[in-house]
Amino acid sequence: MNHVNDHGERDKLQDVEMDIDQKKEENKEGGDDANMMQMNGDIQGNGATNQEDAEMEEDECRSEATFRYTVENISKLKETALSPPCMVRNLPWKIMCQPRPGSERHNQKTMGFFLQCNAESDSVSWSCNASATLKLIHQTNEAESHTKKIQHLFYSKENDWGYSNFIVWNELLDPNRGFVADDKIILEVHVKADAPHGVSWDSKKHTGFVGLKNQGATCYMNSLLQTLFFTNKLRKAVYLMPTESDDSDKSVPLALQRVFYELQFSDKPVGTKKLTKSFGWETLDTFMQHDVQELCRVLLENMESKMKATVVENTIPRLFEGKTLSYIRCKHIDYCSSKEEAFYDIQLNLKGKKNVYESFQDYIKVESLDGENKYDAGEHGLQEAEKGVSFLSFPPVLHLHLLRFMYDPMADAYVKINDRFEFPERLNLDKFLNPKEKKDKTPASYILHAVLVHSGDNHGGHYVVYIAPRGDSKVKTGQNWCKFDDDVVSRCTKQEAVDNNFGGHDEEVAVKHCTNAYMLVYIRESCLNDVLCEVTEADIPQTLIERLAEERRLEAQKRKERTEAHLYMTIQVVSNDNFYGHQGNDLFDPDRVNYRTFKVKKSCSISEFLDIIAENMKYPLQQMRVWPIQSRQNQTVRPTFLDLDTYGHKTVQETADSESPWTVWVETLSPESGLQELPVFDKDNVLIFVKLYDPKTASISFCGHMYVPISAKVSELMPDLCRRAGFPINTPLTLFEEVKPNMVELIDDVNLPLEKTLEELMDGDIIVFQRDDPEVHQYELPTAKDYFKDLYYRVEVIFCDKLNPSDPGFSLDLSMRMNYDQMANAVAQYLHTDPYLLQFFKPQSYREGPGNAIRCTFEGNLKDLLLYSKPKQPRKLYYQQLNIRINELENKKQFKCTWVNSKLKEEKELVLYPNKNGRVSDLLEEAKKQVTLSEDGSGKLRLLEVISYKIYSIQREETLLDLLSSQGSTKSYRIEEIPLDEVNLSSNETLIPVAHFQKEVFSTFGVPFLLKIKQNEPFSAVKERVQKKLDIPDKEFEKYKFAVVVMGRVEHISDEDQNIRVDLDIFKPHAIQGANMQARPWLGLDHVNKTPKRTRYNYLEKAIKIHN
């Protein structure tokens, strides 16, 4: 049982237990309850007229209703009592009443009072947001009725909501309280519901309009699209944009035309996937909620650029462009600097403002430039002046963006301002126009057209839009507004559209505190008829209508194919054309061949299928024969004979043995044969394919096929083979049988018949032949057997640039038996570089990306390097191009650190390559080759160890690099030039580490640094050096607090202590008890961290872009 939490967690558990038993009883007795209990005026007889039916149907889709339920014999009530249903928004609503036993917290028996919605539905996808007033009627003085309010999103798992302890049972039955008369009580509910989601709600029928489907988080876009759609003049211009030759996937204008057309003529919610696809957005973009104001600007700019040089050029500026004048006017001399600027929207500050008029007044407020902030008037010098903005003109369609999201420096985050902010239905902006410069000839009187509303906080939420589609929101009936909530559209009142979205705290349960207007659209009253002009089908180019109709026809055809897919099977057809050029085993590569594909009904006979192929390939039936491609046990795929006398009447599914796709080879009669039909093929013949191998080019040529008698000798084939190869007839040949991958056997005795020469003679066997040349051994792969053996070990490897994560790479066919040098030479040849200037990396075994480096002395072969490649995934290796030779690099140690200049700016990351057995001094010498030193500096460098934004130590130059560890995410090394005054320190001077922190010493940030201090110098001098080193203005430096931090203990230095003297002993390392180490004190600068924090969710910072 779902109820308002007025009694605590234990009551909730008890409620759930009771709910299970009570539901069982309700399911048994629901029919009797419906007959026994009456509802006021909501049950009609069977004799209703058609008009009454229509009225009832309209009544059932209403947004609110009040209904009562009389509970008889209340003092004897033991079980849950349910009222008959009252239909609101086409959903059944019931009053639920039940006695509630006492709990540990409330030991008195109480009455539970709930509102139930759509409880008998089996659907789990529906939802309906509603507010309600639950009332226990006082039967002598209704004004004293007991009332409580609820607001809830009803859905399948929470289909009832209310109070488990609405009233104490004894108070309910007390005659003096007036709630009971004749052992009856009267319960009343006034429910007000939004249009439901996930159930049958016909938006077109109830409002005349349809909604837009939400792709995941596109409600902000849907709200904006509806607003632009109902800017009728813009819609008409979008229809007229020329898109005849546009790409249907990438054209934003065409996608917008499609959405607008479907919004205008469709009866169902409209999808936006093609629109977001035309934006160039990925799937993830549709699950990111962006700013509707930003999208509005980007989309209008995109449309404006696409409208240039068309019949609708300048439509956007004519509708949305206004003009402002920014000025700086000197007070005491006649000098003014001004600039006229155009705007498409106005951003209004609402913090501390009551309404739109106050925000406009704030917008044009004049700022005085005086004192230290005087204006530089050029030849007139510094002058006192006034700075401000005035409006020259307002556009026909005025977009007002309310700045609900503001940066809070205390929280270092954007927060939403939910303050109350009123906006009128009629807005007059005449008083905000510059009286001297104004360009408007008509009054700046506006009518409210749309209200975009946001519910939620700065991390997310939901957008809806309220629109007065015909611009008649000023009509007093108040029923001219519609609410567009993604795919659901419903009529609503002026109060719901306007008054309820002012924001602010409200005791009313009906509206959430975080629900308020975010963007307002006003239309100039004098332009109302023009902006909201009627848009009919006659305004849409016929070519566009026909194109969209063709798209719908093709989509319907695809949907039909998908629904009927189980009735069809795919047949893939190959011909001799697919065999030419193939350099591998068998006749073609199944993964790369360009099949001719047929979708054929599974019930289609083989004879019918042959008719289809004959018609498609334009061949007579007698000049073609079908051979199914069969996978043999020896890992080859070869054609096999299909006897039409046996299989001609059988179905393709039966013949293919349910294999889908089914691959067949279609043999066709060669025009050069001079025959009218294919020769007869019988059981005494065998189908043989022949290939020619050329050792000079190490390549294979397909030479066709032949029908050969089984008893024929191999030698009888040789003249025909010579003819096919273009050799003289008597050319000596060497023949091989291609048995399977890596098994090509020499045919020794050509005088034997085929059945004794070839292994297990079958249709589809392949003979490979080559010229019998005594000089053949000069070639790398002298025989066909050598070629196919090499081919067996050949593999496609993709090489990707390690330094470019998005690099698709390039592929090379390499032998798995290659050693490191052979592989490096092949890659270097492709990249046109020296193989010794390449370094290779293995792939990671568990995810994408480069793994460990491969040493140039690697003694294995390519097969060993590809062990970690995932099955059925492309084999991949990574490389990077080097500036030094790989054999030199492998004797060096890679060391990453940061270079910081004298102004403490982190300039760049250094990747240094000192010798492996080198020292810190060697590392610093390497660094000098990559950095720019100060002109007046010392020319000497030092290496600092930095942990958690604090300097931990200065590394001695004689320290071995192998002793430096960079483990840990908070640890790093930094190289900097030693300032001239820090090279040689006297006995009364030392360097101390300084770090920034905010409030807590563990919240360190920024760039730490070393500071020279002297024994017994005043602390004020130390502060001056810190300020000079950091280059901080006086005003900001006043906010800095100083502290000495020793092992986490903070000793603040107050302003009164500024004249204390420095004691170097304080900054000496402190021994840590029980540990073989020392803690070094540091000077802390306590101030606000102005470095913007990086959000965990980087996608929230992603700007909206329309890529096409």
Side-chain angles (χ1 to χ4, degrees), residues 981-1104:
D981 64 338
E982 294 180 11
V983 175
N984 297 307
L985 299 176
S986 60
S987 59
N988 67 337
E989 294 176 334
T990 190
L991 294 179
I992 62 168
V994 185
H996 306 264
F997 70 96
Q998 181 175 350
K999 295 180 181 178
E1000 301 290 338
V1001 289
F1002 305 108
S1003 300
T1004 47
F1005 64 90
V1007 182
F1009 57 95
L1010 294 173
L1011 185 72
K1012 184 176 78 170
I1013 60 172
K1014 297 179 183 179
Q1015 176 70 23
N1016 212 31
E1017 73 171 323
F1019 187 70
S1020 56
V1022 175
K1023 284 184 65 177
E1024 286 177 14
R1025 282 204 300 279
V1026 170
Q1027 183 178 3
K1028 183 179 178 181
K1029 196 172 187 81
L1030 297 178
D1031 192 22
I1032 300 172
D1034 292 344
K1035 195 170 183 180
E1036 187 179 340
F1037 195 66
E1038 289 173 2
K1039 301 174 184 176
Y1040 277 51
K1041 298 176 183 177
F1042 288 76
V1044 177
V1045 185
V1046 185
M1047 291 190 295
R1049 294 196 316 272
V1050 183
E1051 295 179 19
H1052 280 95
I1053 303 171
S1054 65
D1055 294 337
E1056 291 79 21
D1057 298 333
Q1058 298 305 304
N1059 292 320
I1060 64 169
R1061 299 286 172 169
V1062 171
D1063 182 2
L1064 295 186
D1065 290 339
I1066 296 175
F1067 291 96
K1068 286 183 178 178
H1070 288 56
I1072 299 177
Q1073 191 172 1
N1076 187 23
M1077 60 185 296
Q1078 293 180 324
R1080 188 171 185 182
W1082 52 280
L1083 180 65
L1085 307 182
D1086 183 1
H1087 62 99
V1088 174
N1089 179 9
K1090 292 187 176 180
T1091 309
K1093 293 178 183 175
R1094 279 201 161 185
T1095 174
R1096 286 166 53 211
Y1097 307 104
N1098 289 328
Y1099 61 80
L1100 294 174
E1101 300 172 0
K1102 191 175 178 182
I1104 299 179

Side-chain angles (χ1 to χ4, degrees), residues 90-134:
N90 286 354
L91 294 176
W93 301 77
K94 296 180 182 181
I95 291 173
M96 180 191 293
C97 169
Q98 58 184 209
R100 309 283 295 183
S103 63
E104 288 185 16
R105 184 175 173 184
H106 293 271
N107 53 17
Q108 301 182 69
K109 182 180 178 182
T110 59
M111 181 192 78
F113 185 178
F114 302 89
L115 175 62
Q116 186 191 77
C117 175
N118 203 29
E120 295 174 9
S121 171
D122 293 329
S123 169
V124 294
S125 60
W126 69 273
S127 66
C128 182
N129 190 56
S131 58
T133 302
L134 311 183

Side-chain angles (χ1 to χ4, degrees), residues 289 472 599 790 996 1051:
Q289 190 164 102
D472 48 6
K599 292 280 186 183
D790 178 75
H996 306 264
E1051 295 179 19

Side-chain angles (χ1 to χ4, degrees), residues 81 92 163 199 238 451 461 532 588 592 794 902 932:
Y163 294 89
V199 293
V238 168
V451 182
L532 300 183
F588 62 95
R592 296 187 177 185
R794 203 155 273 277
S902 58
T932 304

